[in-house]
Structures are given as structure tokens and as C-alpha cells.
Coordinates of all heavy atoms in Angstrom, one line a residue:
D1 N 0.8 -1.2 0.0 CA 0.0 0.0 0.0 C 0.9 1.3 0.0 O 0.6 2.2 -0.7 CB -0.9 0.0 1.2 CG -1.9 1.1 1.2 OD1 -2.8 1.2 0.3 OD2 -1.8 2.0 2.1
T2 N 1.9 1.2 0.8 CA 2.8 2.4 0.8 C 3.5 2.6 -0.5 O 3.6 3.7 -1.0 CB 3.9 2.2 1.9 OG1 3.3 2.1 3.2 CG2 4.9 3.3 1.9
L3 N 3.9 1.5 -1.2 CA 4.6 1.5 -2.4 C 3.7 2.1 -3.5 O 4.2 2.9 -4.3 CB 5.1 0.1 -2.8 CG 5.9 0.0 -4.1 CD1 7.2 0.8 -4.0 CD2 6.1 -1.4 -4.5
V4 N 2.5 1.7 -3.6 CA 1.6 2.1 -4.7 C 0.7 3.2 -4.5 O 0.1 3.8 -5.4 CB 0.8 0.9 -5.2 CG1 1.7 -0.3 -5.6 CG2 -0.3 0.4 -4.2
N5 N 0.5 3.6 -3.2 CA -0.4 4.7 -2.9 C 0.1 5.9 -2.1 O -0.5 7.0 -2.2 CB -1.6 4.1 -2.1 CG -2.4 3.2 -2.9 OD1 -2.7 3.4 -4.0 ND2 -2.9 2.1 -2.2
S6 N 1.3 5.7 -1.5 CA 1.8 6.8 -0.6 C 2.3 8.0 -1.5 O 3.0 7.8 -2.4 CB 2.9 6.3 0.2 OG 3.5 7.4 1.0
I7 N 1.8 9.2 -1.1 CA 2.2 10.4 -1.8 C 3.4 11.0 -1.1 O 3.9 12.1 -1.5 CB 1.1 11.4 -1.9 CG1 0.6 11.8 -0.5 CG2 -0.1 10.9 -2.7 CD1 -0.4 13.0 -0.5
S8 N 3.9 10.4 -0.1 CA 5.1 10.9 0.6 C 6.3 10.1 0.5 O 7.4 10.6 0.6 CB 4.7 11.1 2.1 OG 4.5 9.8 2.7
E9 N 6.2 8.8 0.1 CA 7.4 8.0 0.1 C 7.3 6.9 -1.0 O 8.3 6.2 -1.3 CB 7.7 7.3 1.4 CG 6.5 6.5 2.0 CD 6.9 6.0 3.4 OE1 7.9 5.3 3.5 OE2 6.1 6.3 4.3
G10 N 6.2 6.6 -1.6 CA 6.0 5.5 -2.6 C 6.3 5.9 -4.0 O 6.8 7.0 -4.3
L11 N 5.9 5.1 -4.9 CA 6.1 5.4 -6.4 C 5.3 6.6 -6.8 O 5.8 7.4 -7.6 CB 5.7 4.2 -7.2 CG 6.7 3.0 -7.2 CD1 6.1 1.8 -7.9 CD2 7.9 3.4 -8.0
P12 N 4.1 6.9 -6.3 CA 3.4 8.1 -6.7 C 4.3 9.4 -6.4 O 4.3 10.3 -7.2 CB 2.1 8.1 -5.9 CG 1.9 6.6 -5.7 CD 3.2 6.0 -5.5
K13 N 4.9 9.4 -5.2 CA 5.8 10.5 -4.9 C 7.0 10.6 -5.8 O 7.3 11.7 -6.3 CB 6.3 10.3 -3.4 CG 7.2 11.5 -3.0 CD 6.5 12.8 -3.0 CE 7.3 13.9 -2.4 NZ 6.6 15.2 -2.4
E14 N 7.6 9.5 -6.2 CA 8.7 9.5 -7.1 C 8.3 10.0 -8.5 O 9.0 10.8 -9.1 CB 9.3 8.0 -7.2 CG 10.5 7.9 -8.1 CD 11.7 8.5 -7.4 OE1 11.7 8.8 -6.2 OE2 12.7 8.7 -8.2
I15 N 7.1 9.6 -8.9 CA 6.6 10.0 -10.2 C 6.3 11.5 -10.2 O 6.7 12.3 -11.1 CB 5.3 9.3 -10.6 CG1 5.7 7.8 -10.9 CG2 4.6 9.9 -11.8 CD1 4.5 6.9 -11.1
E16 N 5.8 12.0 -9.1 CA 5.5 13.4 -8.9 C 6.8 14.3 -9.0 O 6.8 15.3 -9.6 CB 4.8 13.7 -7.6 CG 4.5 15.2 -7.4 CD 4.0 15.5 -6.0 OE1 4.0 14.5 -5.1 OE2 3.5 16.6 -5.7
L17 N 7.8 13.8 -8.3 CA 9.1 14.5 -8.3 C 9.7 14.5 -9.7 O 10.3 15.6 -10.1 CB 10.1 13.8 -7.3 CG 9.8 13.9 -5.9 CD1 10.7 13.1 -5.0 CD2 9.8 15.4 -5.4
R18 N 9.6 13.4 -10.4 CA 10.2 13.4 -11.8 C 9.4 14.3 -12.7 O 10.0 14.9 -13.6 CB 10.2 12.0 -12.3 CG 11.1 11.0 -11.6 CD 12.6 11.4 -11.7 NE 13.4 10.8 -10.6 CZ 13.9 11.5 -9.6 NH1 13.6 12.8 -9.4 NH2 14.6 10.9 -8.7
Q19 N 8.1 14.4 -12.6 CA 7.3 15.3 -13.4 C 7.6 16.7 -13.1 O 7.7 17.6 -14.0 CB 5.8 15.0 -13.1 CG 5.3 13.7 -13.7 CD 3.9 13.4 -13.2 OE1 3.4 13.8 -12.2 NE2 3.2 12.6 -14.0
K20 N 7.9 17.1 -11.8 CA 8.3 18.4 -11.5 C 9.7 18.7 -12.1 O 9.9 19.9 -12.5 CB 8.3 18.6 -10.0 CG 6.9 18.7 -9.4 CD 7.0 18.9 -7.9 CE 5.6 19.0 -7.3 NZ 5.6 19.2 -5.8
Q21 N 10.6 17.7 -12.0 CA 11.9 17.9 -12.6 C 11.8 18.2 -14.1 O 12.5 19.0 -14.6 CB 12.7 16.6 -12.3 CG 14.2 16.8 -12.4 CD 15.0 15.6 -11.9 OE1 14.5 14.5 -12.0 NE2 16.2 15.8 -11.4
Y22 N 11.0 17.4 -14.7 CA 10.8 17.6 -16.2 C 10.3 19.0 -16.5 O 10.8 19.6 -17.4 CB 9.8 16.5 -16.7 CG 9.3 16.9 -18.1 CD1 10.1 16.8 -19.3 CD2 8.0 17.3 -18.3 CE1 9.6 17.1 -20.5 CE2 7.4 17.6 -19.5 CZ 8.3 17.5 -20.6 OH 7.8 17.8 -21.9
A23 N 9.3 19.4 -15.8 CA 8.7 20.7 -16.0 C 9.7 21.8 -15.7 O 9.8 22.8 -16.5 CB 7.5 21.0 -15.1
Y24 N 10.6 21.7 -14.7 CA 11.6 22.6 -14.4 C 12.6 22.8 -15.6 O 12.9 23.9 -16.0 CB 12.3 22.3 -13.1 CG 13.5 23.1 -12.8 CD1 13.4 24.3 -12.2 CD2 14.8 22.7 -13.1 CE1 14.5 25.1 -11.9 CE2 15.9 23.5 -12.9 CZ 15.8 24.7 -12.2 OH 16.9 25.5 -12.0
Y25 N 13.1 21.6 -16.0 CA 14.1 21.7 -17.1 C 13.5 22.1 -18.4 O 14.2 22.7 -19.2 CB 14.8 20.3 -17.2 CG 15.9 20.2 -16.1 CD1 15.7 19.4 -15.0 CD2 17.1 20.9 -16.3 CE1 16.7 19.3 -14.0 CE2 18.1 20.8 -15.3 CZ 17.9 20.0 -14.2 OH 18.8 19.9 -13.2
R26 N 12.2 21.7 -18.6 CA 11.6 22.1 -19.9 C 11.5 23.7 -19.9 O 11.8 24.3 -20.9 CB 10.2 21.5 -20.0 CG 9.4 21.8 -21.3 CD 8.0 21.4 -21.2 NE 7.3 22.2 -20.3 CZ 6.4 21.7 -19.4 NH1 6.2 20.4 -19.3 NH2 5.8 22.5 -18.5
E27 N 11.1 24.3 -18.8 CA 11.0 25.7 -18.7 C 12.4 26.4 -18.9 O 12.5 27.4 -19.7 CB 10.4 26.1 -17.4 CG 10.2 27.6 -17.3 CD 9.6 28.0 -15.9 OE1 9.1 27.1 -15.2 OE2 9.6 29.2 -15.6
K28 N 13.4 25.8 -18.3 CA 14.7 26.4 -18.4 C 15.3 26.3 -19.8 O 15.8 27.2 -20.4 CB 15.7 25.7 -17.5 CG 15.4 26.0 -16.0 CD 15.8 27.4 -15.7 CE 15.7 27.7 -14.2 NZ 16.0 29.2 -13.9
L29 N 15.1 25.1 -20.4 CA 15.7 24.8 -21.8 C 15.0 25.5 -22.9 O 15.5 25.8 -23.9 CB 15.7 23.3 -22.0 CG 16.7 22.5 -21.2 CD1 16.4 21.0 -21.3 CD2 18.1 22.8 -21.6
L30 N 13.7 25.8 -22.7 CA 12.9 26.4 -23.8 C 12.6 27.9 -23.6 O 11.9 28.5 -24.4 CB 11.6 25.6 -23.9 CG 11.7 24.2 -24.3 CD1 10.4 23.5 -24.3 CD2 12.4 24.0 -25.7
D31 N 13.2 28.5 -22.5 CA 13.0 29.9 -22.3 C 14.2 30.6 -23.0 O 15.1 31.1 -22.3 CB 13.0 30.2 -20.8 CG 12.6 31.7 -20.5 OD1 12.4 32.4 -21.5 OD2 12.6 32.0 -19.3
F32 N 14.1 30.7 -24.3 CA 15.3 31.2 -25.1 C 15.5 32.7 -24.8 O 16.6 33.2 -24.9 CB 15.1 30.9 -26.6 CG 15.2 29.5 -26.9 CD1 14.0 28.7 -27.1 CD2 16.4 28.8 -26.9 CE1 14.1 27.4 -27.3 CE2 16.5 27.5 -27.2 CZ 15.3 26.7 -27.4
G33 N 14.4 33.4 -24.6 CA 14.5 34.8 -24.3 C 15.3 35.1 -23.1 O 16.1 36.0 -23.0
K34 N 15.1 34.2 -22.0 CA 15.8 34.4 -20.8 C 17.3 34.1 -21.0 O 18.2 34.8 -20.5 CB 15.2 33.4 -19.7 CG 15.8 33.6 -18.3 CD 15.2 32.7 -17.3 CE 15.8 32.9 -16.0 NZ 15.2 32.0 -15.0
W35 N 17.6 33.0 -21.7 CA 19.0 32.6 -22.0 C 19.7 33.7 -22.7 O 20.8 34.1 -22.5 CB 19.0 31.3 -22.8 CG 18.8 30.1 -22.0 CD1 17.8 29.3 -22.0 CD2 19.7 29.6 -21.0 NE1 17.9 28.3 -21.1 CE2 19.1 28.4 -20.4 CE3 21.0 30.0 -20.5 CZ2 19.7 27.7 -19.4 CZ3 21.6 29.2 -19.5 CH2 20.9 28.1 -19.0
K36 N 19.0 34.3 -23.7 CA 19.6 35.4 -24.5 C 20.0 36.6 -23.6 O 21.0 37.2 -23.7 CB 18.6 35.8 -25.6 CG 19.3 36.9 -26.5 CD 18.3 37.2 -27.7 CE 18.9 38.2 -28.6 NZ 18.0 38.5 -29.7
M37 N 19.0 36.9 -22.7 CA 19.3 38.1 -21.8 C 20.4 37.8 -20.8 O 21.3 38.6 -20.6 CB 18.0 38.4 -21.0 CG 16.9 39.0 -21.8 SD 15.5 39.6 -20.8 CE 14.8 38.0 -20.3
E38 N 20.5 36.5 -20.3 CA 21.5 36.2 -19.4 C 22.9 36.1 -20.0 O 23.9 36.4 -19.4 CB 21.2 34.8 -18.7 CG 20.0 34.9 -17.8 CD 19.8 33.6 -17.1 OE1 20.4 32.6 -17.6 OE2 18.9 33.5 -16.2
S39 N 22.9 35.7 -21.3 CA 24.2 35.6 -22.0 C 24.7 37.0 -22.5 O 25.9 37.2 -22.8 CB 24.1 34.7 -23.3 OG 23.1 35.3 -24.2

């Protein structure tokens, strides 16, 4: 039950963290206006 349902330590939590990580890097990698200003 912990493995498949827990939002604090199981697979659902791991999936949530990876989705947030993907969204973070997607925003960073595709924000070309920001990169241009920083460079």
C-alpha cells in the first residue's frame, strides 16, 4: 500500500518528483528569451 499509494514515500511520490523535474528543465531549456538576456 505504501509503495503504490503513498504520496510521501512511494512510487506516486517518485513520479510526482520526476514530473516536477521535467517541468523545471523544460521551462529552463525552452526559455530562449531568458537565456539570451543572461548571455
Side-chain angles (χ1 to χ4, degrees):
D1 186 67
T2 298
L3 181 64
V4 304
N5 292 320
S6 175
I7 60 172
S8 61
E9 56 183 301
L11 283 170
K13 180 62 175 180
E14 184 70 15
I15 291 170
E16 179 190 9
L17 291 173
R18 295 297 161 253
Q19 288 172 333
K20 287 181 178 179
Q21 197 174 30
Y22 164 72
Y24 172 82
Y25 280 102
R26 185 189 66 227
E27 183 179 348
K28 289 290 184 183
L29 290 169
L30 296 174
D31 188 0
F32 294 101
K34 184 177 179 181
W35 281 110
K36 185 175 181 181
M37 286 188 290
E38 289 181 351
S39 62

